[in-house]
Amino acid sequence: MKIGIDLISFHTPSYVLDLRTLAEKRGVDPDKFVIGIGQERMAVVPPDQDIVTLAANAALPLLDKAGRDNIELVIFATESGVDQSKAAACFCQGLLQLPSACRCIEVKEACYGATASLRMAAAMVAARPHTRALVLAADIARYDLASPGEPTQGAGAVAMLVSAHPRVLALDPETGFYTEDIMDFWRPNYRDEALVDGKYSTRMYLTTLLEAWKNYKAASGRALLADHAHFCFHLPFTKIAYKSFERLCKAEGVPLPSKEELDRLLEPALLYNRQTGNTYAACVYEALASLLDNAPGQLDHQRIGLFSYGSGCMAEFFSGVVQKGYRQHLFTDAHRAMLDSRTPVTYRQYEDIFNYGVPKDGADHVFAPYRGGPFRLAGIKDHKRRYEAK
Ligand code: COA
């Protein structure tokens, strides 16, 4: 029985900062951001959006299309949690009017959380094939202003419906994972901005990629190029996809393909991330949505290799086969329209929004309405977040 992603939908905030504007303000050559790390724009999150609204906004079109029956599990993967106790999935259960006979939980392991969630969802569906699971991944990547991580900030959410007989991507059972206890990126409870040793984190990403690939290869017997038509990597910045693929080729003794061939293999998966910035847990699935939406040819029956990395650290290389007729089940037009209709912000507006945040003094607060999807954070009253449908 095939199990995998039946539908996949992506959402990002309605405001955006051009990294050339940021480069000018920071006195940096814009090519460092655009070419050196491969990022063009970053999503800017208005105060009335958070991970709950981003995820609910991603999930609504998918649920409108697929219905809500038999969804018995909602797993929310994030490292930007809004509460230390209540799972973000419970807020979404209410907003999205999901069944009450449903398990709702939140999962964390940095940017790897959504892959753990997908695997758990697939296991539940394998045990109870008449049921479905909703995996939500949403994050807001925040670093200190003027820090090296600043140009890699971003925000977004991906919603995936997991089912038997999936219409988009059937997951292969073989997988390769690897873990190690390290401190490359973390966010202590008292901070809103992540701390990152960027160079070390990049080194560990590439090291664990090879370990996870080795374990995947041992489990599946598959070859790098002969058995995989495209690759989706976790994307703290898009340049890392090229570095990753080079490492894999070197490890396998495969000559590095030409620039044109490399672009053909990797570029379609990078288009969305380059426009949104890092979406942490959602990243690799945003890359998958980007690939499915933008690959120039048909991907029917083709195998995609995916690499998920979460700092701290946890890495997994796995794969899936694109299902025949997948194109008619995508949200391509909506994704493109959303990215094309975002409002550009000035540097000043970006800094104001960055510093506004969500008040932490415990007082009641009402949020002014900004542009966004169907759900927003209306306010905080008696220490409770109040969400509303527009
Ligand atoms: N034109 C083109 N390329 C340029 C350039 C220019 N004018 N100036 C610099 N570059 C290139 C550099 O050569 C480098 O490329 P390379 O890595 O292929 O050698 C790249 O741009 C970045 O430059 P660097 O000096 O290394 O940047 P940095 O010290 O500001 O840090 C990161 C870059 C990615 C480490 C930093 O943005 C970061 O920490 N990001 C967060 C990473 C993260 O989130 N990790 C956690 C989860 S995986």
Side-chain angles (χ1 to χ4, degrees), residues 29 31-32 36 143 148 152 185 198-199 201 236-237 239 243 311:
D29 180 351
D31 283 352
K32 174 175 173 181
Y143 300 94
T152 68
F185 167 108
K199 296 272 156 58
S201 189
F237 49 96
K239 181 81 171 288
K243 289 178 192 279
S311 292

Side-chain angles (χ1 to χ4, degrees), residues 1-6 163 165-173 302-304 319-323:
M1 178 179 49
K2 289 179 185 174
I3 293 174
I5 300 171
D6 189 45
S163 73
H165 315 296
R167 288 174 282 181
V168 172
L169 188 86
L171 291 169
D172 290 319
Q302 297 200 352
R303 176 167 281 110
I304 311 298
S319 58
V321 176
V322 180
Q323 298 302 287

Side-chain angles (χ1 to χ4, degrees), residues 95-119:
L95 284 174
L96 295 165
Q97 300 177 329
L98 288 161
S100 46
C102 183
R103 293 186 177 98
C104 293
I105 58 168
E106 186 171 314
V107 156
K108 175 176 67 187
E109 182 0 61
C111 306
Y112 172 75
T115 300
S117 305
L118 184 60
R119 286 283 161 200

Side-chain angles (χ1 to χ4, degrees), residues 213-234:
W213 163 258
K214 200 169 69 189
N215 293 339
Y216 167 80
K217 191 175 141 185
S220 68
R222 295 192 189 108
L224 186 64
L225 285 172
D227 293 317
H228 303 91
H230 288 276
F231 297 86
C232 295
F233 294 97
H234 168 56

